[in-house]
Amino acid sequence: MAGVLTESILNMLVNDMRPISMVEDEGFKQMVTTFHPGYTLPSRTNFKKLMEGKYEATFGKVKDALKATKNKIALTTDAWTSVATEAYLGITCHFISDDWELNSFCLTTMPLEEWHTGTNIAAWIEQAVERFEIPPSKVVAVVHDNGSNVVLAANILQEKHGWVSVCFAGHTLQLVRALKHPQISKALVAARCLVEHFKSSELASSKLKTKQKQMGTPEHKLVQDVSTRWNSTYYMVTRLLEQRWPLTATLSDPAVTQRGKQYLDLKADQWTLLDELAKALQAFECATVYLSGENYVTVSALPPLVRGLLKSTHTAYDTAPVQAFQAAASEETTARWSREVTVTDDDPSKQIIAAAQDPRFRKLKFLTPEERFSVQNKVQALALQSSGNEEATAASVDNDATASAERTPNRSVSTLDSLLGCDSTDSDSEANNDQDARNQAISNEVLMYFGEQPLSKTESPLSWWKLNEAKYPTLASQAKSFLCIPATSTPSERLFSAAGNIASKKRASLTPEHVNMLTFLHCNLKHL
């Protein structure tokens, strides 16, 4: 029983990201004694040893899971600095299992002690992959943000191992510049002042709650934005619009607002501008949230979403500042994602190939007819190449097994046969015929796949592939290599939400090694 209680406490510390020192708190000791008077609570040192042992056991399970999969693996990476000013590199991995489930693991929250150069970051990523005994040929891509050192590291790994560099962070689309229009900036400054007034005034905040109840408005708190993050500005504006009338009523109450401060309320034209701005930002916020998902396929949705965003920027608005924002947002979107969503020199991006292998988007309606044809040809070429590699591997095995066998003498070749190009042996002809048959089967497979109706956008492409894997075996194998790639580096960014709670001010003295262990356990135990 004592072992079960100790294991339960350890799991609580890991899952809830509590400090190990908690077991020495008097209140915690008294609670444990109340629940089980005969139980002797282990010391902090013992719990630390238990945590280290749990880390080693979990590390082995993750390594075994990665060894067991024959499918491609995608990585995401990001860097972060703790409250103790210690730098960490987070790395996650993602793959599709044989049962068509999307699996994710945290590989490391690695403490960084040297210069964060591109060369060093590339070496650290290689070290993490090597620790888990992942063959470099098994890694298909590295997803990262647009920091120059991380981009350089990804380029080094792409040149060295062929790992595709996918540059996309959840916040990569910087609409902040598009929000710099003078009238938009002025309205946002006024909005921030309004929010700050209610957050700093207990009387105004209390009166707002009363007005919310009287008017039947949701009793939500106001949101203060971070000016460098456009999505936080969107949340601030939408909350202000929701609370407009309770806010106006509160500000107009002389018992709450001094006569000289009634200017805090926004002008009618500013409310109108913010209303249109929120509508214009909504599509971008929706796309960013969707692409930052971790539990479903995202990479294939990027091309159609980008085309949809560009279409949304053509929506007509009455106010000139929002019209200017639309033009700037369209320009920013095109500049940021033109390479990922266009087909150039018959070489579509990995995101477009993934979209073609997602049954929801296989009709490629976001492309021109010529581009669709090019992408379909590329998918077929990749399928043929994949089949050729498998045949080459099988042939190599067969050659090794029959190297010492007697060979049948070649029949004599007549001059006429030679002139007609018929100088192949019977076995060569059979091999060529077999290869032609396989190629034709793959071509038919690709043609039949693209000829099917698209899957509903609300359905899972992985569930569809699970049901149709036997029907499209070559494409199914290919789909596992592309659809496992996350659209953004958000998974590695989320590591630092956990790491930030672990390396908090109360635990700033926690060693980097234990930060890595606790983060690893917290992120991976739920997947095992």
Side-chain angles (χ1 to χ4, degrees):
M1 184 62 180
V4 174
L5 287 173
T6 300
E7 180 70 13
S8 180
I9 293 172
L10 179 61
N11 287 336
M12 181 270 293
L13 294 173
V14 170
N15 292 332
D16 295 344
M17 296 178 286
R18 303 296 182 187
I20 297 178
S21 60
M22 179 179 179
V23 300
E24 296 181 343
D25 294 343
E26 287 302 319
F28 184 78
K29 289 180 179 179
Q30 291 174 9
M31 180 188 70
V32 171
T33 301
T34 301
F35 290 157
H36 200 287
Y39 173 67
T40 301
L41 186 66
S43 67
R44 175 180 179 178
T45 302
N46 283 340
F47 269 107
K48 188 175 290 186
K49 291 179 180 178
L50 289 172
M51 183 267 292
E52 292 171 352
K54 197 174 189 69
Y55 169 80
E56 292 298 331
T58 306
F59 182 92
K61 291 180 180 179
V62 172
K63 185 162 72 171
D64 289 343
L66 294 175
K67 277 185 177 181
T69 182
K70 298 177 182 179
N71 304 319
K72 294 289 187 179
I73 296 173
L75 307 176
T76 76
T77 186
D78 194 22
W80 170 77
T81 303
S82 73
V83 293
T85 64
E86 293 167 333
Y88 294 87
L89 182 72
I91 303 174
T92 67
C93 72
H94 310 264
F95 63 94
I96 296 172
S97 69
D98 291 339
D99 291 332
W100 290 93
E101 295 291 335
L102 193 57
N103 290 299
S104 302
F105 289 114
C106 160
L107 295 186
T108 184
T109 309
M110 180 187 298
L112 306 181
E113 298 177 353
E114 300 179 28
W115 290 102
H116 308 166
T117 63
T119 303
N120 284 342
I121 291 174
W124 292 329
I125 294 174
E126 287 179 311
Q127 288 173 19
V129 169
E130 186 177 351
R131 280 193 70 209
F132 286 88
E133 299 180 12
I134 302 172
S137 59
K138 212 173 187 178
V139 178
V140 65
V142 180
V143 186
H144 53 88
D145 66 13
N146 52 359
S148 58
N149 54 347
V150 183
V151 171
L152 176 58
N155 289 338
I156 291 172
L157 294 172
Q158 183 168 4
E159 183 176 349
K160 185 175 181 180
H161 300 295
W163 303 351
V164 177
S165 170
V166 180
C167 181
F168 194 120
H171 57 270
T172 293
L173 182 60
Q174 290 298 341
L175 296 176
V176 174
R177 286 181 292 179
L179 295 172
K180 293 298 185 182
H181 186 280
Q183 286 179 261
I184 293 178
S185 295
K186 187 176 180 180
L188 291 177
V189 168
R192 293 181 186 115
C193 290
L194 181 57
V195 173
E196 182 61 32
H197 170 70
F198 278 87
K199 285 191 172 293
S200 61
S201 171
E202 184 179 349
L203 177 61
S205 179
S206 177
K207 191 66 175 180
L208 176 60
K209 291 180 182 178
T210 302
K211 295 296 184 183
Q212 288 172 333
K213 292 179 181 178
Q214 291 175 351
M215 297 183 174
T217 307
E219 296 179 37
H220 295 156
K221 293 182 178 181
L222 300 183
V223 177
Q224 184 65 278
D225 77 332
V226 178
S227 59
T228 56
R229 293 295 179 93
W230 65 265
N231 52 340
S232 69
T233 300
Y234 169 77
Y235 300 138
M236 177 185 72
V237 170
T238 52
R239 183 57 54 82
L240 284 174
L241 290 168
E242 176 193 79
Q243 301 294 330
R244 175 180 179 179
W245 299 117
L247 286 169
T248 301
T250 303
L251 289 172
S252 63
D253 189 338
V256 178
T257 308
Q258 299 177 6
R259 181 176 300 178
K261 286 194 173 182
Q262 290 184 355
Y263 69 87
L264 285 170
D265 194 8
L266 275 63
K267 298 176 182 178
D269 61 332
Q270 290 179 322
W271 282 113
T272 301
L273 190 155
L274 291 182
D275 182 51
E276 290 196 349
L277 181 63
K279 292 175 181 176
L281 283 171
Q282 185 178 15
F284 290 91
E285 191 272 343
C286 178
T288 300
V289 170
Y290 182 83
L291 291 174
S292 298
E294 191 174 349
N295 299 320
Y296 50 87
V297 174
T298 54
V299 66
S300 55
L302 178 61
L305 273 178
V306 171
R307 293 301 174 98
L309 287 176
L310 290 173
K311 185 178 180 180
S312 75
T313 61
H314 297 145
T315 303
Y317 288 104
D318 295 332
T319 58
V322 176
Q323 293 173 6
F325 166 81
Q326 291 280 79
S330 176
E331 182 180 345
E332 173 69 20
T333 302
T334 301
R336 173 61 192 86
W337 282 320
S338 60
R339 185 177 63 85
E340 286 84 352
V341 299
T342 56
V343 181
T344 56
D345 300 326
D346 295 327
D347 186 24
S349 67
K350 294 296 182 288
Q351 290 88 341
I352 290 181
I353 295 295
Q357 294 173 340
D358 187 326
R360 298 172 299 174
F361 311 118
R362 64 177 140 206
K363 292 300 183 182
L364 304 172
K365 293 183 178 180
F366 53 88
L367 299 177
T368 65
E370 293 78 11
E371 289 174 333
R372 291 175 205 161
F373 183 73
S374 176
V375 172
Q376 290 172 1
N377 283 341
K378 182 65 174 180
V379 170
Q380 179 169 312
L382 289 172
L384 291 170
Q385 180 183 343
S386 174
S387 175
N389 291 339
E390 292 176 1
E391 292 300 325
T393 302
S396 176
V397 173
D398 290 342
N399 288 339
D400 290 340
T402 61
S404 59
E406 282 190 20
R407 299 184 179 276
T408 303
N410 291 337
R411 65 178 178 84
S412 59
V413 180
S414 70
T415 303
L416 182 60
D417 284 341
S418 178
L419 291 173
L420 292 174
C422 300
D423 57 345
S424 60
T425 64
D426 292 338
S427 59
D428 288 339
S429 297
E430 290 175 4
N432 290 336
N433 290 337
D434 288 344
Q435 184 62 48
D436 289 342
R438 282 191 292 270
N439 291 346
Q440 186 60 51
I442 291 173
S443 298
N444 292 340
E445 181 181 327
V446 173
L447 189 63
M448 186 164 57
Y449 168 77
F450 283 113
E452 283 203 35
Q453 289 300 312
L455 190 68
S456 168
K457 303 297 187 294
T458 59
E459 296 187 52
S460 167
L462 298 186
S463 297
W464 185 92
W465 273 115
K466 185 176 182 178
L467 294 173
N468 291 274
E469 182 175 12
K471 187 177 180 181
Y472 304 110
T474 307
L475 290 179
S477 176
Q478 206 178 92
K480 285 181 178 177
S481 299
F482 286 91
L483 298 184
C484 69
I485 304 173
T488 75
S489 61
T490 301
S492 54
E493 294 173 20
R494 287 198 180 105
L495 284 182
F496 301 125
S497 296
N501 289 328
I502 291 168
S504 62
K505 291 182 180 179
K506 290 185 179 180
R507 288 177 282 179
S509 60
L510 198 66
T511 65
E513 290 75 18
H514 284 129
V515 170
N516 178 37
M517 289 182 184
L518 286 169
T519 305
F520 183 89
L521 289 171
H522 174 77
C523 294
N524 289 331
L525 280 177
K526 56 190 174 185
H527 298 306
L528 295 171

PDB file of all heavy atoms in Angstrom, residues 342-349 353 370-379 381:
ATOM      1  N   THR A 342       2.258  27.730 -53.884  1.00  0.00           N
ATOM      2  CA  THR A 342       2.302  27.847 -55.339  1.00  0.00           C
ATOM      3  C   THR A 342       3.164  26.732 -55.922  1.00  0.00           C
ATOM      4  O   THR A 342       4.050  26.189 -55.248  1.00  0.00           O
ATOM      5  CB  THR A 342       2.869  29.211 -55.780  1.00  0.00           C
ATOM      6  OG1 THR A 342       4.170  29.392 -55.179  1.00  0.00           O
ATOM      7  CG2 THR A 342       1.963  30.337 -55.347  1.00  0.00           C
ATOM      8  N   VAL A 343       2.895  26.406 -57.172  1.00  0.00           N
ATOM      9  CA  VAL A 343       3.647  25.372 -57.870  1.00  0.00           C
ATOM     10  C   VAL A 343       4.581  26.063 -58.859  1.00  0.00           C
ATOM     11  O   VAL A 343       4.133  26.727 -59.788  1.00  0.00           O
ATOM     12  CB  VAL A 343       2.710  24.412 -58.619  1.00  0.00           C
ATOM     13  CG1 VAL A 343       3.506  23.323 -59.337  1.00  0.00           C
ATOM     14  CG2 VAL A 343       1.700  23.800 -57.661  1.00  0.00           C
ATOM     15  N   THR A 344       5.886  25.930 -58.635  1.00  0.00           N
ATOM     16  CA  THR A 344       6.865  26.558 -59.517  1.00  0.00           C
ATOM     17  C   THR A 344       7.791  25.505 -60.103  1.00  0.00           C
ATOM     18  O   THR A 344       8.265  24.612 -59.385  1.00  0.00           O
ATOM     19  CB  THR A 344       7.701  27.608 -58.746  1.00  0.00           C
ATOM     20  OG1 THR A 344       8.317  26.966 -57.619  1.00  0.00           O
ATOM     21  CG2 THR A 344       6.819  28.741 -58.257  1.00  0.00           C
ATOM     22  N   ASP A 345       8.026  25.619 -61.383  1.00  0.00           N
ATOM     23  CA  ASP A 345       8.951  24.707 -62.077  1.00  0.00           C
ATOM     24  C   ASP A 345       8.593  23.237 -61.827  1.00  0.00           C
ATOM     25  O   ASP A 345       9.467  22.385 -61.627  1.00  0.00           O
ATOM     26  CB  ASP A 345      10.401  24.962 -61.642  1.00  0.00           C
ATOM     27  CG  ASP A 345      10.850  26.377 -61.954  1.00  0.00           C
ATOM     28  OD1 ASP A 345      10.398  26.914 -62.980  1.00  0.00           O
ATOM     29  OD2 ASP A 345      11.627  26.943 -61.167  1.00  0.00           O
ATOM     30  N   ASP A 346       7.284  22.966 -61.825  1.00  0.00           N
ATOM     31  CA  ASP A 346       6.804  21.598 -61.615  1.00  0.00           C
ATOM     32  C   ASP A 346       7.334  20.983 -60.324  1.00  0.00           C
ATOM     33  O   ASP A 346       7.537  19.771 -60.225  1.00  0.00           O
ATOM     34  CB  ASP A 346       7.196  20.703 -62.804  1.00  0.00           C
ATOM     35  CG  ASP A 346       6.497  21.131 -64.083  1.00  0.00           C
ATOM     36  OD1 ASP A 346       5.342  21.608 -63.988  1.00  0.00           O
ATOM     37  OD2 ASP A 346       7.099  20.998 -65.161  1.00  0.00           O
ATOM     38  N   ASP A 347       7.579  21.842 -59.326  1.00  0.00           N
ATOM     39  CA  ASP A 347       8.108  21.369 -58.051  1.00  0.00           C
ATOM     40  C   ASP A 347       7.249  21.916 -56.913  1.00  0.00           C
ATOM     41  O   ASP A 347       7.610  22.884 -56.262  1.00  0.00           O
ATOM     42  CB  ASP A 347       9.563  21.813 -57.882  1.00  0.00           C
ATOM     43  CG  ASP A 347      10.182  21.211 -56.622  1.00  0.00           C
ATOM     44  OD1 ASP A 347       9.701  20.165 -56.167  1.00  0.00           O
ATOM     45  OD2 ASP A 347      11.141  21.812 -56.086  1.00  0.00           O
ATOM     46  N   PRO A 348       6.094  21.299 -56.657  1.00  0.00           N
ATOM     47  CA  PRO A 348       5.211  21.783 -55.592  1.00  0.00           C
ATOM     48  C   PRO A 348       5.835  21.596 -54.215  1.00  0.00           C
ATOM     49  O   PRO A 348       6.669  20.710 -54.005  1.00  0.00           O
ATOM     50  CB  PRO A 348       3.955  20.916 -55.746  1.00  0.00           C
ATOM     51  CG  PRO A 348       4.422  19.693 -56.457  1.00  0.00           C
ATOM     52  CD  PRO A 348       5.541  20.133 -57.349  1.00  0.00           C
ATOM     53  N   SER A 349       5.437  22.438 -53.271  1.00  0.00           N
ATOM     54  CA  SER A 349       5.959  22.358 -51.912  1.00  0.00           C
ATOM     55  C   SER A 349       5.456  21.096 -51.218  1.00  0.00           C
ATOM     56  O   SER A 349       4.513  20.452 -51.662  1.00  0.00           O
ATOM     57  CB  SER A 349       5.537  23.594 -51.119  1.00  0.00           C
ATOM     58  OG  SER A 349       4.125  23.577 -50.926  1.00  0.00           O
ATOM     59  N   ILE A 353       1.938  18.840 -51.650  1.00  0.00           N
ATOM     60  CA  ILE A 353       1.933  17.382 -51.797  1.00  0.00           C
ATOM     61  C   ILE A 353       1.085  16.757 -50.681  1.00  0.00           C
ATOM     62  O   ILE A 353       0.301  15.818 -50.918  1.00  0.00           O
ATOM     63  CB  ILE A 353       3.368  16.826 -51.749  1.00  0.00           C
ATOM     64  CG1 ILE A 353       4.179  17.325 -52.955  1.00  0.00           C
ATOM     65  CG2 ILE A 353       3.354  15.306 -51.729  1.00  0.00           C
ATOM     66  CD1 ILE A 353       3.673  16.833 -54.282  1.00  0.00           C
ATOM     67  N   GLU A 370      -3.765  23.642 -64.583  1.00  0.00           N
ATOM     68  CA  GLU A 370      -2.397  23.264 -64.962  1.00  0.00           C
ATOM     69  C   GLU A 370      -1.596  22.855 -63.728  1.00  0.00           C
ATOM     70  O   GLU A 370      -0.817  21.887 -63.762  1.00  0.00           O
ATOM     71  CB  GLU A 370      -1.698  24.430 -65.670  1.00  0.00           C
ATOM     72  CG  GLU A 370      -2.272  24.791 -67.025  1.00  0.00           C
ATOM     73  CD  GLU A 370      -3.563  25.608 -66.916  1.00  0.00           C
ATOM     74  OE1 GLU A 370      -3.894  26.071 -65.794  1.00  0.00           O
ATOM     75  OE2 GLU A 370      -4.257  25.760 -67.945  1.00  0.00           O
ATOM     76  N   GLU A 371      -1.781  23.592 -62.613  1.00  0.00           N
ATOM     77  CA  GLU A 371      -1.058  23.267 -61.382  1.00  0.00           C
ATOM     78  C   GLU A 371      -1.533  21.929 -60.806  1.00  0.00           C
ATOM     79  O   GLU A 371      -0.726  21.143 -60.295  1.00  0.00           O
ATOM     80  CB  GLU A 371      -1.257  24.393 -60.359  1.00  0.00           C
ATOM     81  CG  GLU A 371      -0.529  25.682 -60.716  1.00  0.00           C
ATOM     82  CD  GLU A 371      -0.870  26.820 -59.770  1.00  0.00           C
ATOM     83  OE1 GLU A 371      -1.985  26.805 -59.195  1.00  0.00           O
ATOM     84  OE2 GLU A 371      -0.030  27.732 -59.623  1.00  0.00           O
ATOM     85  N   ARG A 372      -2.838  21.663 -60.891  1.00  0.00           N
ATOM     86  CA  ARG A 372      -3.353  20.380 -60.409  1.00  0.00           C
ATOM     87  C   ARG A 372      -2.709  19.218 -61.159  1.00  0.00           C
ATOM     88  O   ARG A 372      -2.302  18.213 -60.563  1.00  0.00           O
ATOM     89  CB  ARG A 372      -4.870  20.320 -60.584  1.00  0.00           C
ATOM     90  CG  ARG A 372      -5.651  21.243 -59.691  1.00  0.00           C
ATOM     91  CD  ARG A 372      -7.135  21.198 -60.045  1.00  0.00           C
ATOM     92  NE  ARG A 372      -7.803  22.424 -59.654  1.00  0.00           N
ATOM     93  CZ  ARG A 372      -8.964  22.842 -60.128  1.00  0.00           C
ATOM     94  NH1 ARG A 372      -9.597  22.108 -61.043  1.00  0.00           N
ATOM     95  NH2 ARG A 372      -9.500  23.967 -59.718  1.00  0.00           N
ATOM     96  N   PHE A 373      -2.635  19.355 -62.471  1.00  0.00           N
ATOM     97  CA  PHE A 373      -2.040  18.311 -63.299  1.00  0.00           C
ATOM     98  C   PHE A 373      -0.582  18.085 -62.901  1.00  0.00           C
ATOM     99  O   PHE A 373      -0.112  16.945 -62.800  1.00  0.00           O
ATOM    100  CB  PHE A 373      -2.142  18.701 -64.770  1.00  0.00           C
ATOM    101  CG  PHE A 373      -1.620  17.663 -65.720  1.00  0.00           C
ATOM    102  CD1 PHE A 373      -2.327  16.491 -65.957  1.00  0.00           C
ATOM    103  CD2 PHE A 373      -0.407  17.855 -66.379  1.00  0.00           C
ATOM    104  CE1 PHE A 373      -1.840  15.523 -66.827  1.00  0.00           C
ATOM    105  CE2 PHE A 373       0.088  16.896 -67.245  1.00  0.00           C
ATOM    106  CZ  PHE A 373      -0.631  15.729 -67.468  1.00  0.00           C
ATOM    107  N   SER A 374       0.132  19.178 -62.653  1.00  0.00           N
ATOM    108  CA  SER A 374       1.534  19.084 -62.254  1.00  0.00           C
ATOM    109  C   SER A 374       1.686  18.378 -60.914  1.00  0.00           C
ATOM    110  O   SER A 374       2.574  17.530 -60.739  1.00  0.00           O
ATOM    111  CB  SER A 374       2.150  20.488 -62.179  1.00  0.00           C
ATOM    112  OG  SER A 374       3.472  20.437 -61.713  1.00  0.00           O
ATOM    113  N   VAL A 375       0.810  18.703 -59.969  1.00  0.00           N
ATOM    114  CA  VAL A 375       0.883  18.084 -58.641  1.00  0.00           C
ATOM    115  C   VAL A 375       0.544  16.597 -58.724  1.00  0.00           C
ATOM    116  O   VAL A 375       1.214  15.760 -58.099  1.00  0.00           O
ATOM    117  CB  VAL A 375      -0.069  18.799 -57.662  1.00  0.00           C
ATOM    118  CG1 VAL A 375      -0.141  18.047 -56.331  1.00  0.00           C
ATOM    119  CG2 VAL A 375       0.398  20.232 -57.424  1.00  0.00           C
ATOM    120  N   GLN A 376      -0.462  16.248 -59.505  1.00  0.00           N
ATOM    121  CA  GLN A 376      -0.823  14.835 -59.657  1.00  0.00           C
ATOM    122  C   GLN A 376       0.323  14.039 -60.275  1.00  0.00           C
ATOM    123  O   GLN A 376       0.597  12.903 -59.877  1.00  0.00           O
ATOM    124  CB  GLN A 376      -2.091  14.716 -60.506  1.00  0.00           C
ATOM    125  CG  GLN A 376      -3.344  15.221 -59.791  1.00  0.00           C
ATOM    126  CD  GLN A 376      -4.555  15.276 -60.702  1.00  0.00           C
ATOM    127  OE1 GLN A 376      -4.480  14.918 -61.886  1.00  0.00           O
ATOM    128  NE2 GLN A 376      -5.684  15.714 -60.174  1.00  0.00           N
ATOM    129  N   ASN A 377       1.002  14.646 -61.248  1.00  0.00           N
ATOM    130  CA  ASN A 377       2.171  13.989 -61.844  1.00  0.00           C
ATOM    131  C   ASN A 377       3.285  13.803 -60.814  1.00  0.00           C
ATOM    132  O   ASN A 377       3.982  12.775 -60.808  1.00  0.00           O
ATOM    133  CB  ASN A 377       2.690  14.804 -63.029  1.00  0.00           C
ATOM    134  CG  ASN A 377       1.835  14.627 -64.276  1.00  0.00           C
ATOM    135  OD1 ASN A 377       1.074  13.666 -64.386  1.00  0.00           O
ATOM    136  ND2 ASN A 377       1.955  15.544 -65.218  1.00  0.00           N
ATOM    137  N   LYS A 378       3.457  14.806 -59.953  1.00  0.00           N
ATOM    138  CA  LYS A 378       4.494  14.717 -58.927  1.00  0.00           C
ATOM    139  C   LYS A 378       4.170  13.607 -57.931  1.00  0.00           C
ATOM    140  O   LYS A 378       5.067  12.841 -57.529  1.00  0.00           O
ATOM    141  CB  LYS A 378       4.608  16.057 -58.194  1.00  0.00           C
ATOM    142  CG  LYS A 378       5.705  16.096 -57.125  1.00  0.00           C
ATOM    143  CD  LYS A 378       7.090  15.952 -57.730  1.00  0.00           C
ATOM    144  CE  LYS A 378       8.168  16.135 -56.675  1.00  0.00           C
ATOM    145  NZ  LYS A 378       9.527  16.006 -57.244  1.00  0.00           N
ATOM    146  N   VAL A 379       2.910  13.516 -57.524  1.00  0.00           N
ATOM    147  CA  VAL A 379       2.497  12.450 -56.604  1.00  0.00           C
ATOM    148  C   VAL A 379       2.754  11.088 -57.231  1.00  0.00           C
ATOM    149  O   VAL A 379       3.255  10.164 -56.581  1.00  0.00           O
ATOM    150  CB  VAL A 379       1.004  12.616 -56.227  1.00  0.00           C
ATOM    151  CG1 VAL A 379       0.506  11.383 -55.484  1.00  0.00           C
ATOM    152  CG2 VAL A 379       0.807  13.861 -55.385  1.00  0.00           C
ATOM    153  N   ALA A 381       4.959  10.401 -59.591  1.00  0.00           N
ATOM    154  CA  ALA A 381       6.410  10.198 -59.678  1.00  0.00           C
ATOM    155  C   ALA A 381       6.980   9.753 -58.332  1.00  0.00           C
ATOM    156  O   ALA A 381       7.843   8.866 -58.276  1.00  0.00           O
ATOM    157  CB  ALA A 381       7.086  11.493 -60.139  1.00  0.00           C
TER     158      ALA A 381
END
